[in-house]
Amino acid sequence: MREAEIRRLLAANLLCALSIVLAAVGPAFFLDGFSVLGTHLTWMCVCSVSVATLNVILHLVLKPSQSSRRSSFAHKISRFLKCCIYFFMSCILFHAIIVLYGAPLIESVTETFLFAVLLSTFTTLQCLCLLGPNIQAWIRVFSKNGAMSIWESSLQITSVCSILGAWFGAFPIPLDWDRPWQVWPISCSLGATFGYMAGLIIAPLWIHWNRKQLTYKSR
């Protein structure tokens, strides 16, 4: 396994983590009263857009899943539209799952949906950038020993860490601490964000540590 590829992955992941930090502090210079807790909905929008934009740019620049086949312009447009539809469907699916896990059904619909968008940005968008609108490839990657590259291994780790972070972030909500960050969905979105950032850092380190054991075979 080439060390240069692992360094590229580490650099890309660190840039994604930096984009989240900038999304938390940058808007305060342009928006009066902006803060992660005080204007949480605005922060979720800024964070989602920032992470999504950087992921797309990194994918276009680094081309971790570059195919040898040349596709037509019509195929690229069709692929882009499918990705948009898949992302929207992912937001709806996450919204439904979050409601089933106890989020308000009628109240706080905007908050719940924006949280679903944030979670989709941390998980589904990465799948779309790396694998495209190919459900079979998604199933393969998230099956046991299904990763075929270090980028797919990183995708596994960051996606799982994001979902686990969101799940752990829900634990403090029922407690009667009466803290501002216990308001729905602040703790869950922060948990997902910290989980995503942890995954971005853990992934290249884990891959580097286990590089001798990792053997990727094409299927």
Side-chain angles (χ1 to χ4, degrees):
M1 185 181 298
R2 293 184 302 172
E3 291 292 332
E5 193 72 8
I6 298 178
R7 287 196 293 268
R8 288 176 67 199
L9 174 65
L10 177 60
N13 286 6
L14 289 177
L15 284 175
C16 289
L18 180 61
S19 71
I20 295 178
V21 175
L22 293 177
V25 300
F29 295 99
F30 308 98
L31 301 175
D32 294 334
F34 175 87
S35 68
V36 173
L37 298 182
T39 55
H40 194 67
L41 297 185
T42 303
W43 172 78
M44 283 197 292
C45 293
V46 173
C47 186
S48 298
V49 172
S50 176
V51 172
T53 303
L54 185 59
N55 267 285
V56 172
I57 293 174
L58 288 174
H59 173 72
L60 294 175
V61 172
L62 298 177
K63 294 180 172 58
S65 59
Q66 187 175 17
S67 174
S68 57
R69 290 188 311 173
R70 287 190 176 183
S71 55
S72 64
F73 180 74
H75 176 76
K76 292 179 179 179
I77 294 297
S78 175
R79 180 185 174 93
F80 173 75
L81 293 176
K82 284 183 180 179
C83 288
C84 292
I85 294 173
Y86 277 39
F87 183 79
F88 180 73
M89 291 173 60
S90 170
C91 296
I92 298 297
L93 180 61
F94 270 124
H95 185 102
I97 293 173
I98 293 166
V99 169
L100 290 176
Y101 268 89
L105 177 61
I106 304 299
E107 300 176 355
S108 305
V109 174
T110 303
E111 289 84 348
T112 304
F113 184 74
L114 288 179
F115 174 48
V117 171
L118 183 70
L119 205 53
S120 294
T121 303
F122 292 156
T123 56
T124 306
L125 181 71
Q126 292 188 99
C127 293
L128 291 171
C129 287
L130 188 62
L131 306 173
N134 186 344
I135 298 299
Q136 291 182 345
W138 297 16
I139 296 173
R140 171 185 59 76
V141 168
F142 290 99
S143 62
K144 186 178 180 180
N145 300 324
M148 292 167 48
S149 68
I150 63 173
W151 300 93
E152 292 183 358
S153 294
S154 178
L155 174 62
Q156 290 176 335
I157 294 171
T158 53
S159 297
V160 171
C161 286
S162 299
I163 294 174
L164 287 177
W167 185 61
F168 282 116
F171 286 177
I173 293 179
L175 303 178
D176 57 350
W177 295 345
D178 195 26
R179 301 294 184 183
W181 49 266
Q182 287 180 275
V183 176
W184 174 255
I186 294 179
S187 62
C188 288
S189 58
L190 290 179
T193 304
F194 286 128
Y196 176 66
M197 293 182 69
L200 291 173
I201 298 172
I202 292 171
L205 296 179
W206 182 85
I207 292 170
H208 176 76
W209 185 264
N210 296 278
R211 65 190 183 280
K212 294 182 179 179
Q213 290 77 31
L214 292 174
T215 55
Y216 297 114
K217 297 180 180 180
S218 60
R219 289 175 173 80

